[in-house]
Amino acid sequence: MHLKIFWVFFKVGMLGYGGGPSSIPLVHKEVVDTHKWMTDEAFQDALAIGNVLPGPIATKLGGYIGYLQKGWLGLANAVFATILPTIIQMIILLKLFTEFKDLEWVQGMSNGVMPVVGVMLAILTYEFLAKAKARTTWQFIILFTLIAFLLLVVLEIHPAIIILFIVVFSLFRKEGRI
């Protein structure tokens, strides 16, 4: 059974090019139609829950279905099988990139990607700022940015600690304790 779970989600990881939307039909075909591990209704429920949680849908579905089939080992097996193709592809691409990094066209490609990524991050930042502005004031945004800069750059506090603090603070504030 573990080999079946691994093979099903390895195929999903290999063939689900393009992320979640392309993986969902593959998972459905394997899990509902081929192996009959779930009903259509159970799959729809799993998909609905998976869409609410953060992270890639293929790994969430794989983990949940693997857990239903074989417990925690099934969960680990399915998640590993889902991400293994990406790990292999990244290793191959990085190996090829480092092998041919001195070629002019590879350097040009690398240099061309950096500005595109910078623009994408700038657009994402602008979109986040626009959403934040709709819910708060410029003074709060500027103060928050300065405090975040101080904590991250000057005091070198790990971002995860700051995010955890913000989440806890927000939860207590929402409940009216602060």
Side-chain angles (χ1 to χ4, degrees), residues 1-9 27-40 42-43 61-62 64-70 74 77-78:
M1 182 62 152
H2 281 289
L3 189 57
K4 268 188 189 176
I5 292 171
F6 181 86
W7 183 241
V8 163
F9 289 101
V27 175
H28 181 271
K29 175 79 173 146
E30 291 287 332
V31 171
V32 175
D33 298 338
T34 303
H35 296 287
K36 312 255 186 269
W37 291 339
M38 300 179 95
T39 64
D40 255 338
F43 184 81
L61 284 174
Y64 179 68
I65 295 164
Y67 179 79
L68 289 178
Q69 294 306 305
K70 282 294 186 180
N77 183 7

Side-chain angles (χ1 to χ4, degrees), residues 13-82:
M14 283 297 292
L15 301 174
Y17 185 77
S22 63
S23 299
I24 293 168
L26 297 170
V27 175
H28 181 271
K29 175 79 173 146
E30 291 287 332
V31 171
V32 175
D33 298 338
T34 303
H35 296 287
K36 312 255 186 269
W37 291 339
M38 300 179 95
T39 64
D40 255 338
E41 294 78 22
F43 184 81
Q44 289 171 1
D45 291 344
L47 184 59
I49 292 168
N51 278 322
V52 173
L53 300 172
I57 190 70
T59 53
K60 292 181 285 189
L61 284 174
Y64 179 68
I65 295 164
Y67 179 79
L68 289 178
Q69 294 306 305
K70 282 294 186 180
W72 291 105
L73 283 176
L75 179 146
N77 183 7
V79 170
F80 179 69
T82 305

Side-chain angles (χ1 to χ4, degrees), residues 59-157:
T59 53
K60 292 181 285 189
L61 284 174
Y64 179 68
I65 295 164
Y67 179 79
L68 289 178
Q69 294 306 305
K70 282 294 186 180
W72 291 105
L73 283 176
L75 179 146
N77 183 7
V79 170
F80 179 69
T82 305
I83 64 172
L84 182 61
T86 304
I87 293 169
I88 292 169
Q89 292 166 2
M90 288 300 298
I91 290 170
I92 291 169
L93 286 173
L94 287 173
K95 178 69 176 155
L96 287 172
F97 187 75
T98 56
E99 188 75 24
F100 299 109
K101 68 181 179 212
D102 296 328
L103 293 176
E104 189 174 323
W105 69 271
V106 173
Q107 290 177 353
M109 182 179 65
S110 176
N111 291 338
V113 166
M114 285 187 234
V116 172
V117 171
V119 168
M120 290 170 61
L121 288 172
I123 291 170
L124 185 63
T125 302
Y126 174 77
E127 289 172 356
F128 280 144
L129 185 61
K131 288 178 183 175
K133 177 59 184 112
R135 296 182 178 184
T136 189
T137 64
W138 280 112
Q139 292 85 358
F140 178 80
I141 292 172
I142 292 169
L143 178 65
F144 191 84
T145 303
L146 291 173
I147 292 171
F149 179 81
L150 175 73
L151 294 173
L152 290 167
V153 177
V154 178
L155 299 177
E156 297 181 0
I157 296 175

